[in-house]
Amino acid sequence: MALYDNMKLEKGMYQTAGKSFSQVLEELDPSGNYRGTELEGLDAFQRQLKRFDIKVGGGRSDVLEKFFSTADSAALFPEYVSRAVHQGMEEAATLEGIIASKTVIDSMDYRTISSDAAGKDKELKRVAEGAFIPETTIKLRENLVKLRKRGRMLVASYEAVRFQRLDLFTVTLRQIGAAIARAQLNDAVDVLLKGDGNENPIAATALETAGEFTYNELVSFWAGFSEFHMDTLLADTQAMVQLLQMAEFKDPCTGLELHRSGKCVTPFGATLYRTTAMPEKTLVGLDRSCALEMVTAGELSVDYDKLIDRQLERAAITSIAGFSKIFDGASRKLA
């Protein structure tokens, strides 16, 4: 069994097929071996940071140069970058709030599935003895899911940042992650509105007065989800302002939730997200449990060899993802 304080770290650990650097570390140094010790609660990567006494957060965080004090500790730097970017992606929580399923694939081609049961075919009627049992047919979609690469090139000389505190550098990396998540949200909203290439654009309900929402129209819109439950609303800034100015949205509990979590809960119980990915004066309602699938070609990609060998000289941080509708009727548009 390899202990955390004498493991040999190298960039080849980033090349294990189907496994991240942290997963490779965890296999070599299982966290279960540390139950009941002072290291309980730390994962394998965090134990390596402790091994080399690298503090990545707080006012007394170390300078970036400390990662490169030894060849072993330098191998930790790409994983630190990846985790900080991931944190930024997770903090941009709107995307996670609208996807029902996330599929990780090992290629650039992916064809999702669809179910042809609708309306009365979905009803589980009483079946008499010997009678035919209604079927739900699951089949492959005709067109592939379109995958797009999103990312940033991290360009900085090692000399320029070597004495910068890691806490500040982490803020920059989190912003890169947030930018990637916003771009992917744009892709997700585009699929919701226009479809995923399988002739399934969103069902639209027109407002009586273009761009002007009324509470009665919102109630009718909510009621239109007869087979699904509208638990999420996406709005652009102008639509969000109109909604929040309605008397029905000024409930004290709604305001408390907005102050507590930054999320606005509507009178229908649906979580309301504001995003610039939406067209002007438009609302999209969806059942987040069955509306959208996110497909990623592997995990977040970081140029580990450049970050280890040449520190920060033009290192790419990218994520390849696409989106597909699961049930077409699980999302609707009001505009």
Side-chain angles (χ1 to χ4, degrees):
M1 180 184 67
L3 296 176
Y4 83 100
D5 58 353
N6 61 11
M7 290 176 60
K8 175 64 178 173
L9 305 178
E10 56 184 2
K11 64 181 180 181
M13 298 170 73
Y14 288 93
Q15 298 172 328
T16 304
K19 295 180 181 177
S20 66
F21 180 80
S22 285
Q23 289 171 331
V24 173
L25 277 182
E26 197 66 38
E27 287 187 357
L28 296 173
D29 182 36
S31 294
N33 294 337
Y34 297 89
R35 292 195 184 98
T37 73
E38 63 177 7
L39 298 177
E40 184 177 9
L42 301 180
D43 63 24
F45 175 73
Q46 292 168 330
R47 287 192 292 275
Q48 290 302 312
L49 292 179
K50 183 174 180 62
R51 169 189 175 185
F52 294 101
D53 193 29
I54 300 175
K55 302 179 183 65
V56 298
R60 295 185 178 275
S61 62
D62 289 308
V63 295
L64 186 146
E65 185 179 40
K66 194 163 185 179
F67 269 110
F68 300 96
S69 58
T70 69
D72 285 297
S73 60
L76 298 172
F77 186 60
E79 179 64 12
Y80 151 73
V81 171
S82 178
R83 289 191 175 207
V85 174
H86 263 300
Q87 185 179 356
M89 294 177 70
E90 291 169 357
E91 289 173 353
T94 303
L95 182 61
E96 291 296 325
I98 66 173
I99 59 173
S101 172
K102 185 175 181 180
T103 303
V104 181
I105 60 176
D106 296 325
S107 68
M108 292 297 292
D109 294 330
Y110 177 77
R111 197 184 304 273
T112 190
I113 60 175
S114 66
S115 167
D116 65 356
K120 295 181 179 179
D121 291 335
K122 285 186 177 180
E123 298 177 10
L124 298 181
K125 294 182 178 179
R126 187 174 183 178
V127 179
E129 183 177 353
F132 174 77
I133 300 177
E135 298 176 344
T136 295
T137 302
I138 297 176
K139 57 186 179 181
L140 290 173
R141 294 267 193 186
E142 181 178 351
N143 294 319
L144 297 172
V145 175
K146 295 179 180 178
L147 301 179
R148 293 187 174 99
K149 179 185 284 189
R150 301 291 191 181
R152 290 287 178 90
M153 184 70 72
L154 190 61
V155 182
S157 67
Y158 174 55
E159 290 74 16
V161 297
R162 59 185 295 189
F163 296 119
Q164 290 297 322
R165 296 287 175 180
L166 289 169
D167 191 55
L168 176 60
F169 194 62
T170 299
V171 173
T172 301
L173 295 174
R174 287 204 306 265
Q175 286 301 305
I176 291 176
I180 293 174
R182 285 194 297 269
Q184 290 178 340
L185 178 60
N186 287 339
D187 294 337
V189 170
D190 190 63
V191 167
L192 283 173
L193 294 173
K194 301 177 183 177
D196 55 18
N198 290 286
E199 299 182 357
N200 53 358
I202 197 166
T205 301
L207 294 167
E208 291 184 7
T209 304
E212 298 295 331
F213 299 96
T214 67
Y215 189 70
N216 287 339
E217 287 176 311
L218 290 175
V219 171
S220 297
F221 182 63
W222 167 80
F225 286 79
S226 57
E227 298 177 357
F228 300 94
H229 172 61
M230 189 188 77
D231 56 13
T232 305
L233 271 174
L234 299 176
D236 73 296
T237 299
Q238 293 180 347
M240 184 83 160
V241 169
Q242 283 193 41
L243 295 182
L244 295 181
Q245 288 176 342
M246 290 182 180
E248 293 82 1
F249 280 74
K250 295 180 180 180
D251 182 89
C253 293
T254 299
L256 288 174
E257 180 64 23
L258 184 62
H259 285 295
R260 185 185 68 82
S261 64
K263 299 178 182 178
C264 182
V265 179
T266 68
F268 319 107
T271 301
L272 177 60
Y273 293 100
R274 178 175 68 94
T275 171
T276 56
M278 290 288 296
E280 289 186 0
K281 297 183 178 180
T282 301
L283 287 177
V284 166
L286 62 141
D287 185 336
R288 64 154 296 184
S289 68
C290 54
L292 200 64
E293 176 188 16
M294 180 178 183
V295 182
T296 64
E299 300 295 342
L300 183 75
S301 175
V302 176
D303 279 346
Y304 60 86
D305 53 343
K306 292 182 180 179
L307 288 175
I308 293 173
D309 296 336
R310 288 181 282 173
Q311 286 81 49
L312 295 175
E313 184 181 345
R314 298 190 64 80
I317 301 171
T318 59
S319 177
I320 300 175
F323 299 88
S324 175
K325 288 190 173 183
I326 302 176
F327 292 102
D328 298 340
S331 59
R332 299 172 62 88
K333 180 177 77 170
L334 180 64

